[in-house]
Amino acid sequence: MIDPSSQARLAENWQAVQHDVDAATMAVDRPAGSVTIIGVTKYVDAEMTLGLVNAGCRVLGENRPQVLWKKNEEVVFPDDVQWHLIGHLQRNKLRRSLPFHPMIHSVDSPRLLAAIVEEATAQQIPTQVLLEVNISGEEAKTGLKPKELRPMIESHLGSNDTNAVEIVGLMAMAGWGTDADAARQQFAATRELREQLTQQTGATLPELSMGMSGDFAAAIAEGATMVRIGSRLFEGLLPPA
């Protein structure tokens, strides 16, 4: 277990993030509780991750599947913790990952979606996924091009795979180094893309995962249903970068 002062700081940080997310939600006349905070724990070890859970955060995001596995070997998390895989995912990591029932945010190719379908079917673990869209168009970033999304969704809906894997929305990140206005424009473009895809394909796509510690207010203003917050939750607890 972490020391009492660290646990107290985690609780303070968690309450502050909750307050700010609630304030950003109410500022744009959205219902209270309509935005899920995903505590991104890639920065910290298993004990600190459990400390965040004990502070009240029950939705956790990991970038690397092997870190998710390791943390669950080292500590016992409450049964109500929900895991999200938010980083680039290799197909060979699926078999060990699906038993944790994660929502997968980073589906960035038809091959990966097909692999998730195959593994979810084999293990009989229904799995929810988000399609990652490269909304900023940066070559160095992962994610599907906007024009690639419609055929991928239509192909999936036309298959027999929807019981195994459900596409529930989109995930996007603002471009590196963008200011708040540019980030908000990219989040708006993601929301508009979701609306177009809903009309074109009939898919409901209720989830929009976008916004991080530095830009979550702009993301919430443009319809984010999930924000991925890490560094703010661990202020005062990590060594200087």
Side-chain angles (χ1 to χ4, degrees), residues 36-58:
T36 298
I37 302 168
I38 299 172
V40 178
T41 49
K42 65 177 183 176
Y43 306 92
V44 298
D45 62 15
E47 295 289 346
M48 188 71 75
T49 301
L50 183 59
L52 179 63
V53 171
N54 291 335
C57 181
R58 287 297 200 270

Side-chain angles (χ1 to χ4, degrees), residues 40-44 61-72 83-90 93 97 100 106:
V40 178
T41 49
K42 65 177 183 176
Y43 306 92
V44 298
E62 285 290 344
N63 277 46
R64 295 190 296 163
Q66 56 269 38
V67 175
L68 168 61
W69 311 338
K70 185 172 184 288
K71 287 182 178 180
N72 278 275
W83 292 99
H84 292 240
L85 285 172
I86 60 176
H88 180 67
L89 181 60
Q90 297 173 310
K93 301 294 194 300
S97 297
F100 297 100
S106 49

